[in-house]
Amino acid sequence: MDRSNFIREIESGLNSKFGRGIENATPVQLHDSIAGAVMRDISGRWNKSVEKHLSGRRACYLSMEFLMGRAVYNNLLCLGIKDEVDGLLKEHGRSLSELEEIEDAALGNGGLGRLAACFLDSAAAHDIPLDGYGIRYKYGIFRQAIENGFQREYADDWQKYGDPWSKRRDSDAVEVVYADETVRAVPYDMPIIGYGTENVGNLRLWQAEAVNEFDFAKFDCGSYAEAVAAKTSAENISMVLYPNDNCEEGKILRLKQEYFFSAASLADIVKKHIERSGTLDNFADKVTIQLNDTHPVIAIPELMRLLCDVYGMDFERAFEITRKTFNYTNHTIMQEALEKWSAALMERLLPRVYAYVLMINERFIKEMYALGKDREFIRRLAPVSDSTVKMADMAVYMSSYTNGVAKIHTDILKADTLKDWYGLYPERFQNKTNGITQRRWLALCNEELSALITRLLGNDGWIKDLDRLAQLKKYADDEDVLREFMAVKETKKRQLADFIRVHDGAEIDPGTVFDIQIKRLHEYKRQLLNALSILYIYYGIKDGSIKDFTPTTYIFGAKSAPGYRRAKAVIKLIGEIGKLVNSDPETKGLIKVVFVQNYNVSYAEKLVAAADISEQISTAGTEASGTGNMKLMLNGAVTLGTLDGANVEIAEEAGEENEYIFGARVDELKKIMPEYDPRKLVFSDEKINRALDKLIDGSLDDGGVPSGQEGSFKELYKALTDGASWHVPDHYYVIGDLNSYVEAKLKANADYRDGLAFAKKCWLNMCSAGKFSSDRTVKDYAENIWKL
C-alpha cells in the first residue's frame, strides 16, 4: 500500500463523511475512515478470491457463532501495514491505540465461535477456499457489568457506530419460509484478509428483515402495532445471540434462528453452484459443508428439500449427494448438551422440512433392518424417536465424516457418547484437535514477545509456521534469553494492571503471580473449585499451616448465561471471597482476587499475554478441547489443570514436568463416581469443611437470594453435598479434586520463587505450542475431510 496514498484515503474519508481531519477526528471516525481505506484497497483481490473459491471445490463453514473480535488491528497486521499505519497516524498526533474503544463483533459465546474465527483466519492465510456462513445478530453476547457482586446483562449494540468492515449484498438476498411467516435474509459480507497472501476469505452473515415491513392500511386504521408486526417478528430472528429457551417462545425463536441461517446459506450455495456448473449432479464434488456443532444440522433435511422439491431430484440421489456434502464437528461428550427438538414443534414450524426428517428417519430404519439390528438399537440411534428429533444422530448418519476436537474427546466419543455410531461407521470418525491463530494470539496481542521470537529465529516466518517455535527450545537454559523473556512478561503484567485499574477500578500488583482463569462460566469448567481453593489457602495462611506463600493475584474473567442461576451465584461468590481476602490485614499483599467485567476477545488478548499460571481445571472427560489453554500456553504460561481436553496434548508437547497436573482422570472417575459420597470428604477433612462452611455460615453474603433457592450460596453447598436439579451430589467432582488441586496450586506457587526455573517451564510451553496452531488444524480438515 502506497504510504502517501493511504493517508490521502483516510483524510478523504474523514472529510467527505464527517467534515473532519485526522487531527480532530474522534476515534470512531478515525476507525471508520481507516476501515474504508482498507476496504477500498482490498476490494479487487477480495472479488477475485470469492470468484476463485466459487470456480473450484470449496468448503463452507456453517456456524451459529463467529466470535471475530475487533477487526481493525488484525486486518492491518494481516496486510503487513499495522506499524506503518500507526507511524503515519503519530505524525498527525494520533495513534492506533486510540481505537481500543471500538466494539468487538461479539457474535459468539465462547470457544465455539472463536474457533470458527480462527479457522477462517488460517484458511485465508494458507489459500484454502473456506467461506463462513452465520447470523448477523444486532446484539451479540451481552455486555456484562458486575453490580453489587452480581452479573447484570446489557445489550451489546456492536453496530451503534456502524459496521465499516461489512458490505451489504442486497442482490443475494433470499426468502426463508416458515409455516407462519416468510422473512427476507439479507447477506452482509466480511472480508477475512489472509496474512502474507493475496487471498481474502469471505464470512457471510445473514440479517433477517420483513418481506413487507409496513402495512399502511392497518396503520391508517389506527392499528399501529399491527402495522409493523411483520417487521418486528422478522427482525427478532437475528436480534440476539442465543435467546433464552427456557420457555416455548424461546425454543421457537432458537429453532427459527437455526433454520434461518442454514436455509439462507444453502439457497446461496446451491444458486451459486448452478450458475457455474449448470447442474446439481456434481454438487458434492464442488461443495463440502462443515456443520460446527448441532446448531446448523437442520441444513441436512433442508438440502434434501431443495434437491427434491425445488430441483426435482429423486430421493435416493438427493440422499447420496447430501450425505457426501456434509461433515459434522462434535463439541461435547455430554448427552444433555446434544441438541434435541420436539418433533411437534418442528412439524408446526417447518412442516415440509420435518417431512424430510421423517423420510431420512425411515431410510435409516430400513438400512438398520438390512444390517440385522434390533429394535432397541434402532430406537436408540434413530434421528427421530420418542417424539424427539435428535440432531447429533441426524448429523452422524447424514455426514461423510464426524470429528472430535481433541484426542481424548474423540476417544470418549468412540467409546461412550457415540459408541454405537462408531461401531456402525468407524471409517467416518476422525480427530481434529482444535487450534488458535498465532496472528491474533501472539503476533498481535504480544508484540514484545513476538519481537524476541523474531530476533532469535532471524525472521518472522513463524507467523505462518508456528512449528518453528520448537527451534527456540535450545535457549531454555540460556539465562540471558530467559531474563529477557521474564522482562517481557513483567511488561505485559504492568500493561494488564494498568488496564484493569482503568477498566475495573481495581489495583493489582504486577510483581505478584498472575494466576488466571478466563472462560465461559459453567459448572463443568469449575470456577467454583478455584474459588473454594482460594478460601482453603486463605485460611491455611491465617492458621500458619501454609507458609512462605508467594504473593498471588487470582484473576477471573467469565460470562454466565443470563438464565443460569447457579453459574451467576459463582460470580457473586468470587466477588465475596475477594472482599474477604482483599481486606484482611493478615493476607493483604499475599492474596488478591479480581473478577474482571465484560470479558471478551479484546480483554482476552491482554490477559493471555500477562498470565503466569493458566487455570484449565474442568472435570476430566467434560471439556471437549478448549482453546484458551492454547492461547495462554502460546504466550508462555504454565498449565495448572486436569488431564482433560487438549490439556492432555499440551502436557505431551511441553512435557508434564512443565505443567501442574492434578485430579482424578477419566478412567478413575468411572470407578469413583458410582459409590462417591462427597459428605464423607467434607466431614472427614477439616480444611475442606472449613472452606465449604463459608457457603452456609452467613459470613459470605449472597445478596438476599432466598435461602436454598438456586442462585444462593446455600444452594451451591446443597448441589455439592446432596445434589440438585438433575445433578447427583458433586456431579463435577469439585470436592473430590479439591485437595489434589490445592497441592498442585501450592507447588506452582512455590516453584515461582525460583524465577529462572519457572521461566524455563514457561519458555518451553511457548516453544511447544506449534501443534496448537489453527493453521495445522485447518490444513488437516482440508486434506482429510474436505478433500480440497
Side-chain angles (χ1 to χ4, degrees):
M1 183 178 291
D2 179 76
R3 175 188 175 91
S4 57
N5 186 56
F6 189 68
I7 280 292
R8 282 197 299 271
E9 283 282 314
I10 295 173
E11 289 176 326
S12 174
L14 284 169
N15 186 55
S16 64
K17 192 169 182 178
F18 305 109
R20 299 281 186 98
I22 292 177
E23 289 79 5
N24 61 353
T26 67
V28 169
Q29 293 166 345
L30 195 60
H31 170 256
D32 187 278
S33 296
I34 291 171
V38 169
M39 292 288 273
R40 287 187 291 274
D41 182 74
I42 68 167
S43 61
R45 73 179 96 164
W46 187 11
N47 292 336
K48 287 180 182 177
S49 297
V50 168
E51 184 54 40
K52 185 176 180 182
H53 288 198
L54 291 170
S55 63
R57 177 170 169 81
R58 69 168 177 147
C60 301
Y61 201 81
L62 269 59
S63 180
M64 192 86 165
E65 303 180 31
F66 284 93
L67 193 50
M68 303 306 294
R70 193 184 289 123
V72 59
Y73 299 133
N74 195 69
N75 284 345
L76 293 176
L77 174 81
C78 288
L79 287 170
I81 60 172
K82 179 175 173 289
D83 292 341
E84 186 174 14
V85 172
D86 196 29
L88 290 169
L89 291 178
K90 284 175 178 173
E91 290 175 10
H92 292 259
R94 307 304 295 273
S95 169
L96 278 177
S97 63
E98 296 177 47
L99 307 186
E100 286 279 349
E101 68 183 61
I102 305 303
E103 294 287 337
D104 280 15
L107 308 186
N109 186 45
L112 183 87
R114 188 52 229 170
L115 181 75
C118 284
F119 280 5
L120 294 183
D121 176 280
S122 288
H126 290 276
D127 300 311
I128 293 169
L130 174 69
D131 299 306
Y133 288 87
I135 299 179
R136 188 176 188 259
Y137 304 99
K138 179 174 175 56
Y139 301 109
I141 188 68
F142 57 86
R143 180 170 55 84
Q144 179 197 58
I146 305 299
E147 298 173 6
N148 191 31
F150 287 100
Q151 172 178 289
R152 294 286 182 257
E153 301 91 21
Y154 295 92
D156 169 36
D157 188 4
W158 65 279
Q159 301 173 44
K160 63 185 174 185
Y161 298 122
D163 178 18
W165 296 107
S166 294
K167 291 291 184 186
R168 182 180 171 104
R169 311 288 193 189
D170 279 287
S171 62
D172 282 343
V174 298
E175 290 190 355
V176 176
V177 180
Y178 305 96
D180 58 346
E181 68 178 325
T182 297
V183 302
R184 188 165 179 258
V186 181
Y188 284 73
D189 287 351
M190 182 182 295
I192 310 299
I193 300 171
Y195 180 90
T197 176
E198 291 294 300
N199 185 44
V200 179
N202 197 69
L203 171 58
R204 173 155 283 191
L205 299 178
W206 298 96
Q207 179 170 292
E209 299 178 3
V211 175
N212 298 298
E213 65 177 33
F214 185 75
D215 189 322
F216 188 84
K218 287 181 179 177
F219 187 87
D220 204 36
C221 293
S223 300
Y224 305 133
E226 290 182 39
V228 293
K231 174 181 170 65
T232 302
S233 178
E235 290 178 358
N236 280 344
I237 293 172
S238 59
M239 187 66 67
V240 175
L241 169 71
Y242 291 148
N244 193 332
D245 63 352
N246 291 340
C247 60
E248 183 73 1
E249 288 304 312
K251 288 181 171 65
I252 291 170
L253 183 53
R254 180 78 70 88
L255 183 54
K256 278 190 171 184
Q257 286 185 332
E258 295 184 0
Y259 181 68
F260 169 73
F261 91 91
S262 298
S265 301
L266 281 176
D268 183 69
I269 293 166
V270 170
K271 174 190 168 188
K272 285 181 165 50
H273 172 79
I274 289 176
E275 286 174 351
R276 283 155 183 80
S277 295
T279 177
L280 285 170
D281 287 335
N282 64 343
F283 182 75
D285 298 324
K286 293 290 187 178
V287 175
T288 182
I289 299 175
Q290 192 70 36
L291 302 170
N292 193 29
D293 212 343
T294 51
H295 311 123
V297 169
I298 195 74
I300 289 173
E302 172 63 10
L303 181 57
M304 292 289 297
R305 186 194 69 81
L306 279 175
L307 294 176
C308 296
D309 287 5
V310 178
Y311 293 100
M313 194 175 287
D314 71 79
F315 180 88
E316 281 301 321
R317 178 66 177 135
F319 181 92
E320 177 189 344
I321 288 173
T322 299
R323 180 182 269 184
K324 190 177 176 184
T325 298
F326 286 105
N327 309 290
Y328 164 54
T329 299
N330 174 284
H331 285 275
T332 182
I333 57 94
M334 301 179 202
Q335 285 291 343
E336 66 270 16
L338 295 175
E339 200 171 36
K340 300 175 179 68
W341 288 105
S342 157
L345 172 61
M346 186 176 288
E347 183 177 24
R348 188 168 82 245
L349 189 66
L350 304 166
R352 191 57 184 157
V353 174
Y354 181 67
Y356 277 95
V357 169
L358 292 181
M359 285 187 262
I360 290 168
N361 193 62
E362 289 301 307
R363 176 68 166 68
F364 167 79
I365 293 171
K366 177 183 176 182
E367 189 176 328
M368 292 305 104
Y369 274 127
L371 292 173
K373 301 299 182 183
D374 61 40
R375 292 184 67 177
E376 174 54 27
F377 180 93
I378 295 171
R379 186 199 66 80
R380 199 162 61 242
L381 269 66
V384 183
S385 63
D386 302 322
S387 302
T388 300
V389 182
K390 301 176 295 180
M391 305 309 273
D393 292 308
M394 171 87 71
V396 179
Y397 178 56
M398 292 296 292
S399 294
S400 290
Y401 297 102
T402 292
N403 70 277
V405 291
K407 185 178 184 301
I408 188 174
H409 170 232
T410 302
D411 288 345
I412 293 171
L413 290 181
K414 293 176 180 178
D416 187 3
T417 312
L418 300 176
K419 177 181 179 181
D420 291 331
W421 283 112
Y422 180 63
L424 275 177
Y425 306 124
E427 72 284 356
R428 294 189 192 177
F429 281 73
Q430 294 192 14
N431 177 65
K432 299 285 172 277
T433 297
N434 283 345
I436 57 171
T437 167
Q438 63 269 26
R439 266 78 63 187
R440 183 177 290 270
W441 295 110
L442 182 53
L444 182 65
C445 75
N446 200 337
E447 292 179 342
E448 295 86 351
L449 181 55
S450 298
L452 174 59
I453 292 168
T454 296
R455 179 167 59 78
L456 293 175
L457 287 175
N459 58 62
D460 63 1
W462 60 271
I463 299 177
K464 284 189 75 165
D465 181 8
L466 199 61
D467 287 336
R468 294 192 60 194
L469 294 188
Q471 297 172 26
L472 299 176
K473 290 182 180 180
K474 64 186 178 183
Y475 296 107
D477 294 305
D478 186 319
E479 286 195 17
D480 291 336
V481 170
L482 291 181
R483 291 191 190 282
E484 194 171 350
F485 175 61
M486 292 164 69
V488 167
K489 184 71 76 174
E490 289 165 10
T491 298
K492 303 312 289 185
K493 290 167 78 171
R494 283 196 304 273
Q495 291 172 0
L496 177 62
D498 291 342
F499 187 80
I500 288 176
R501 182 174 60 255
V502 172
H503 185 271
D504 294 280
E507 295 284 345
I508 63 173
D509 181 1
T512 60
V513 182
F514 279 13
D515 182 307
I516 296 182
Q517 186 176 18
I518 43 173
K519 52 186 73 256
R520 180 167 56 92
L521 211 147
H522 194 288
E523 287 171 271
Y524 84 83
K525 295 179 184 286
R526 297 202 297 187
Q527 285 92 347
L528 179 56
L529 174 62
N530 195 347
L532 292 173
S533 79
I534 294 169
L535 283 175
Y536 188 118
I537 291 168
Y538 166 70
Y539 285 109
I541 293 171
K542 284 175 70 71
D543 71 14
S545 60
I546 295 176
K547 304 178 189 299
D548 301 321
F549 185 80
T550 309
T552 299
T553 302
Y554 296 103
I555 302 173
F556 295 82
K559 290 179 179 178
S560 160
Y564 194 172
R565 290 193 293 272
R566 198 173 295 148
K568 294 175 91 167
V570 173
I571 294 176
K572 174 66 172 173
L573 177 64
I574 292 166
E576 291 302 307
I577 292 171
K579 285 183 188 176
L580 175 69
V581 306
N582 297 350
S583 61
D584 190 330
E586 289 186 60
T587 56
K588 197 172 180 64
L590 286 178
I591 301 181
K592 184 83 178 242
V593 177
V594 175
F595 191 102
V596 302
Q597 299 181 84
N598 203 39
Y599 171 65
N600 58 16
V601 172
S602 294
Y603 215 142
E605 290 169 10
K606 295 173 175 60
L607 289 158
V608 299
D612 296 305
I613 296 173
S614 163
E615 295 268 359
Q616 307 298 330
I617 59 176
S618 52
T619 314
T622 60
E623 183 74 83
S625 170
T627 55
N629 46 6
M630 302 170 187
K631 295 160 194 167
L632 288 150
M633 175 198 196
L634 179 60
N635 282 271
V638 297
T639 296
L640 170 59
T642 51
L643 285 179
D644 191 32
N647 293 354
V648 175
E649 290 159 84
I650 285 174
E652 288 173 354
E653 293 296 306
E656 195 165 324
E657 69 278 7
N658 294 309
E659 317 297 353
Y660 295 88
I661 303 300
F662 73 92
R665 306 188 179 201
V666 173
D667 55 341
E668 293 170 336
L669 284 170
K670 284 182 180 177
K671 298 172 184 174
I672 291 169
M673 292 307 291
E675 303 297 325
Y676 174 54
D677 181 357
R679 281 192 177 273
K680 288 183 180 178
L681 260 178
V682 173
F683 295 144
S684 65
D685 190 310
E686 179 186 348
K687 292 177 180 178
I688 291 179
N689 193 19
R690 182 170 59 187
L692 267 289
D693 266 353
K694 297 299 121 185
L695 300 180
I696 57 175
D697 68 5
S699 59
L700 299 175
D701 178 16
D702 57 13
V705 179
S707 179
Q709 180 175 306
E710 189 169 307
S712 72
F713 293 169
K714 288 183 179 176
E715 195 274 339
L716 284 179
Y717 181 92
K718 184 175 182 294
L720 290 173
T721 55
D722 297 332
S725 61
W726 59 272
H727 282 190
V728 298
D730 195 15
H731 180 73
Y732 292 112
Y733 207 58
V734 171
I735 297 170
D737 270 347
L738 185 54
N739 275 324
S740 174
Y741 176 47
V742 170
E743 183 181 348
K745 204 162 197 168
L746 292 175
K747 176 71 164 63
N749 181 273
D751 286 353
Y752 185 85
R753 288 198 292 274
D754 186 340
L756 284 172
F758 194 84
K760 178 179 178 179
K761 290 175 182 282
C762 294
W763 180 261
L764 287 170
N765 269 276
M766 184 269 292
C767 296
S768 304
K771 176 180 180 177
F772 304 107
S773 170
S774 51
D775 296 359
R776 183 268 312 154
T777 315
V778 166
K779 287 177 181 178
D780 194 352
Y781 274 96
E783 180 180 354
N784 296 306
I785 290 183
W786 303 333
K787 313 295 185 183
L788 298 179

